[in-house]
């Protein structure tokens, strides 16, 4: 992803007015008896957004056009703030180092991927977090918070946490963080009608998550 991804965030004031969320692909076959057979085509979800709802002024539209041109349409990916899901815990709560379990120590392994779990009792879904926000990552080993720099470092480009010394075998490794979603434009054109925009029309600006 590195060569075709720009580590820049989509204009925050526009993204805060967007809509969208996770998408899954499920095949459903209805049998002659009326029963259903369901099969998931994707192992994970993929997020889609329409950022057009966040464009309220012509100046904001100008900013988005410049952003679109610099990304060359669908060519380069970028960061996007999902206002409903951008922290390791609830959006209204500051991250804590105990929010998410990201691994178990082996005594030798030093690197662990940031993840966020959804659900708990039936079939929790673990989502890899590849674009944490720099300076927000907090990590604990067996409940004891580790110091950034001397204890661990986190790569904001990949979401990989690397410890200075391998956590002991059986140690519970947890983390808290803020994060962005890696996305790209889902169209190579922005079809904008200024006559309808001035009358309250909303342009469509489709975005789709880039799966790591």
């Amino acid at each position: 992803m590195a060569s075709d991804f720009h580590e820049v965030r989509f204009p925050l004031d526009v993204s805060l007015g967007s809509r969208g969320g996770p998408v899954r692909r499920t095949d459903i076959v209805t049998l002659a008896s009326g029963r259903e057979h369901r099969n998931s085509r994707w192992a994970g979800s993929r997020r889609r957004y329409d950022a057009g709802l966040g464009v309220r002024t012509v100046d904001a539209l100008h900013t988005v056009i410049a952003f679109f041109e610099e990304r060359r349409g669908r060519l380069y990916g970028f960061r996007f703030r999902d206002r409903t899901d951008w922290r390791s815990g609830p959006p209204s709560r500051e991250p804590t180092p105990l929010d998410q379990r990201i691994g178990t120590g082996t005594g030798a392994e030093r690197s662990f991927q940031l993840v966020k779990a959804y659900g708990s009792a039936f079939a929790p879904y673990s989502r890899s977090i590849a674009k944490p926000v720099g300076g927000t990552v907090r990590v604990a080993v067996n409940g004891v918070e580790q110091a950034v720099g001397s204890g661990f470092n986190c790569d904001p480009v990949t979401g990989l946490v690397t410890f200075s010394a391998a956590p002991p075998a059986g140690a519970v490794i947890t983390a808290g963080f803020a994060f962005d979603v890696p996305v790209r434009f889902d169209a190579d054109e922005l079809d904008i009608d200024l006559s309808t925009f001035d009358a309250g029309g909303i342009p469509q600006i489709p975005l789709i998550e880039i799966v790591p």
Side-chain angles (χ1 to χ4, degrees):
M1 185 187 294
S3 63
D4 60 358
F5 192 91
H6 293 168
E7 292 293 335
V8 61
R9 183 182 293 136
F10 186 80
L12 190 59
D13 57 336
V14 177
S15 66
L16 292 178
S18 65
R19 69 179 180 187
V23 177
R24 288 186 172 271
R25 287 288 180 268
T26 306
D27 289 330
I28 301 177
V29 177
T30 303
L31 306 178
S33 64
R35 294 181 178 178
E36 292 181 345
H37 178 72
R38 295 182 294 275
N39 180 64
S40 178
R41 295 171 57 186
W42 293 353
S45 58
R46 192 177 191 185
R47 280 148 177 79
R48 285 184 178 273
Y49 305 98
D50 183 354
L53 289 172
V55 178
R56 304 297 184 187
T57 66
V58 174
D59 284 350
L61 188 56
H62 177 268
T63 299
V64 170
I65 290 173
F67 192 90
F68 175 86
E69 292 285 29
E70 191 172 6
R71 306 288 87 73
R72 308 297 194 271
R74 295 186 296 175
L75 185 59
Y76 293 101
F78 51 92
R79 290 171 173 259
F80 181 80
R81 169 68 55 82
D82 182 339
R83 64 193 179 100
T84 65
D85 189 6
W86 62 284
R87 283 175 166 167
S88 48
S92 61
R93 194 188 73 194
E94 290 290 331
T96 78
L98 305 179
D99 285 348
Q100 300 290 330
R101 182 168 181 164
I102 65 171
T104 302
T106 64
E109 182 63 45
R110 295 174 54 227
S111 297
F112 300 84
Q113 179 67 44
L114 288 180
V115 295
K116 181 173 181 178
Y118 296 80
S120 57
F122 297 97
Y125 168 59
S126 181
R127 175 188 181 192
S128 291
I129 302 299
K131 298 297 177 184
V133 177
T136 69
V137 180
R138 302 175 65 184
V139 174
V141 176
N142 282 335
V144 179
E145 185 166 8
Q146 306 297 296
V148 179
S150 59
F152 78 96
N153 284 292
C154 181
D155 187 343
V157 175
T158 64
L160 195 66
V161 172
T162 302
F163 289 93
S164 302
V172 176
I173 302 161
T174 56
F177 44 84
F179 64 96
D180 295 318
V181 182
V183 303
R184 62 169 172 78
F185 287 101
D186 199 24
D188 273 328
E189 64 176 340
L190 291 181
D191 188 10
I192 300 164
D193 184 346
L194 278 180
S195 64
T196 61
F197 181 78
D198 289 339
I202 302 296
Q204 287 190 334
I205 305 175
L207 310 175
I208 188 168
E209 182 179 6
I210 299 171
V211 178

